[in-house]
Amino acid sequence: MNLVLLGPPGAGKGTQAKRLQDLRSLVQLSTGDMLRAAVAAGTELGRQAGELMEQGQLVPDALVIGLIAESMDEGKGGAGFILDGFPRTIGQAEALNTLLQSRGEKVDRVVVIEVDDDALVARITGRFTCATCGEGYHELFKLPKVEGVCDVCGGTKFSRRADDTEEVVRERLKAYHAQTEPLIGYYKAQDKVSAVDGMADIETVQKEIDQALDGA
Ligand code: AMP
């Protein structure tokens, strides 16, 4: 099964993708993670993408389509892919169709996680991760049990994404509404969309996603 997770920044796509990856042996493909790795490595692609990411704008379709094509070529995804943060434009969705078709596959389901803009700003600006193992935390909702120490690995260094400031989040939301939201109608026309209420608690969201996938 190939699953697209759609929703605004901070809706919980990454969290849900990681859980589904473990549960259903799917391979998570996150263009945001790939781009951040390219920025950190200082590659040419990272240089092209970095400035746009800092401004909360989308990077050009060709760059992210290339990243997805490469990851699919690596022969991963036996049971299928979870696409997290891709596609974000109609052009990317069409490129995804072509890539999957060449493997004899398709997008099977699109789960849209819906969350209000104001809740997203609070969620995103409070989040931080363990710099060692990547475990996610939040100033309001999930602090480490011992202050300054990661619950999972004991690490004591934490980091925040450069684009998680309120100003940039507002730009990312604008990009979402203008460029990505039209994909909901695009996939609805193909009868592939299940919407879940991302304002609910995390277990409820998980259950709703499981129901959507098992009914697919
Ligand atoms: P994310 O981690 O998915 O929130 O992505 C972080 C940033 O990376 C976005 O604000 C964009 O600048 C860029 N980005 C990630 N995925 C895409 C994509 N599919 N298309 C264009 N830009 C992307």
Side-chain angles (χ1 to χ4, degrees):
M1 155 174 302
N2 294 304
L3 164 68
V4 170
L5 284 182
L6 208 61
K13 299 186 297 294
T15 306
Q16 297 297 341
K18 287 202 171 61
R19 176 183 150 272
L20 289 169
Q21 167 162 268
D22 298 340
L23 206 70
R24 295 180 184 249
S25 307
L26 300 171
V27 172
Q28 177 193 14
L29 297 182
S30 159
T31 41
D33 286 350
M34 294 176 202
L35 290 167
R36 278 185 289 280
V39 170
T43 64
E44 178 53 32
L45 187 143
R47 271 192 291 278
Q48 288 176 38
E51 204 171 313
L52 290 163
M53 292 169 76
E54 272 172 30
Q55 294 164 359
Q57 289 170 24
L58 297 188
V59 308
D61 282 357
L63 290 189
V64 282
I65 292 167
L67 286 172
I68 291 287
E70 260 173 49
S71 313
M72 288 189 171
D73 271 354
E74 283 165 14
K76 295 182 201 150
F81 296 105
I82 307 167
L83 293 140
D84 159 15
F86 180 95
R88 262 176 155 100
T89 63
I90 301 281
Q92 292 178 23
E94 287 179 344
L96 176 63
N97 283 346
T98 308
L99 284 170
L100 288 173
Q101 262 167 22
S102 68
R103 302 163 58 95
E105 297 174 30
K106 61 182 170 43
V107 170
D108 296 290
R109 191 107 295 256
V110 178
V111 171
V112 182
I113 309 179
E114 297 171 331
V115 184
D116 299 345
D117 282 12
D118 287 337
L120 291 169
V121 174
R123 277 192 192 186
I124 297 182
T125 53
R127 68 187 183 182
F128 60 99
T129 53
C130 169
T132 310
C133 74
E135 180 69 6
Y137 293 96
H138 195 281
E139 281 164 9
L140 301 177
F141 313 122
K142 188 187 165 196
L143 283 166
K145 292 193 182 78
V146 178
E147 196 184 335
V149 182
C150 174
D151 297 346
V152 175
C153 75
T156 53
K157 289 212 174 84
F158 295 87
S159 61
R160 284 172 189 265
R161 279 174 47 170
D163 60 351
D164 275 354
T165 61
E166 172 155 5
E167 196 192 352
V168 180
V169 172
R170 298 260 177 222
E171 289 306 313
R172 288 161 65 195
L173 285 171
K174 269 191 217 157
Y176 174 76
H177 292 304
Q179 289 165 279
T180 307
E181 222 163 35
L183 287 177
I184 300 175
Y186 173 88
Y187 283 121
K188 265 191 182 159
Q190 300 172 26
D191 208 15
K192 291 186 175 169
V193 173
S194 304
V196 304
D197 176 10
M199 296 292 284
D201 61 79
I202 200 155
E203 284 82 23
T204 309
V205 176
Q206 288 175 358
K207 261 191 224 143
E208 277 194 40
I209 292 179
D210 288 337
Q211 280 166 2
L213 297 186
D214 293 334

